[in-house]
Amino acid sequence: MKGPESTRLAKDIMRFYLRNQHVAETLEGLARWRLQEEQVSRTVRDVQAALEGLVEAGYLLAVSRGERTLFRINPARVEELSELLAEAGSESPNPGETGPQRS
């Protein structure tokens, strides 16, 4: 193994196999697992940055619930947000659309 990245990756693979001792996987399968993990991490960072910007701009409200934060639209800014999106050429959301569902 060479360098800290290889060491970290090797440790991640060892942890994967310790958690999933019954699994046999190909090189390609392990690489796909790793890419998916990295994509989720990047996506979470990107969404967090976007949410922080929307909260700072006042379009969303952040509500703490224990260790979690819930985000919701700021009712006082709905009309302004609708106009902003219309000017940008975005489609208006369907009236019944609720976005991601928690299970």
Side-chain angles (χ1 to χ4, degrees):
M1 287 188 287
K2 297 178 185 176
E5 179 61 29
S6 295
T7 302
R8 185 173 67 89
L9 179 56
K11 287 180 180 178
D12 288 347
I13 292 169
M14 290 186 289
R15 283 188 199 96
F16 170 81
Y17 276 111
L18 282 173
R19 286 190 308 267
N20 302 283
Q21 294 181 21
H22 63 284
V23 170
E25 189 56 81
T26 64
L27 165 64
E28 292 80 7
L30 286 166
R32 235 184 332 273
W33 156 74
R34 184 72 179 153
L35 286 173
Q36 289 172 348
E37 182 180 84
E38 288 177 9
Q39 179 62 39
V40 168
S41 179
R42 271 194 305 272
T43 300
V44 168
R45 285 192 308 265
D46 292 346
V47 170
Q48 180 178 7
L51 286 170
E52 288 171 358
L54 291 167
V55 169
E56 287 176 18
Y59 294 120
L60 293 182
L61 301 174
V63 181
S64 295
R65 294 282 188 251
E67 293 182 16
R68 294 186 176 243
T69 301
L70 302 176
F71 299 91
R72 63 184 180 92
I73 195 163
N74 181 347
R77 305 286 299 272
V78 168
E79 188 173 327
E80 179 185 349
L81 185 56
S82 294
E83 291 171 4
L84 180 67
L85 291 175
E87 289 173 7
S90 298
E91 294 181 21
S92 298
N94 296 330
E97 188 176 314
T98 59
Q101 299 295 313
R102 293 189 304 170
S103 24

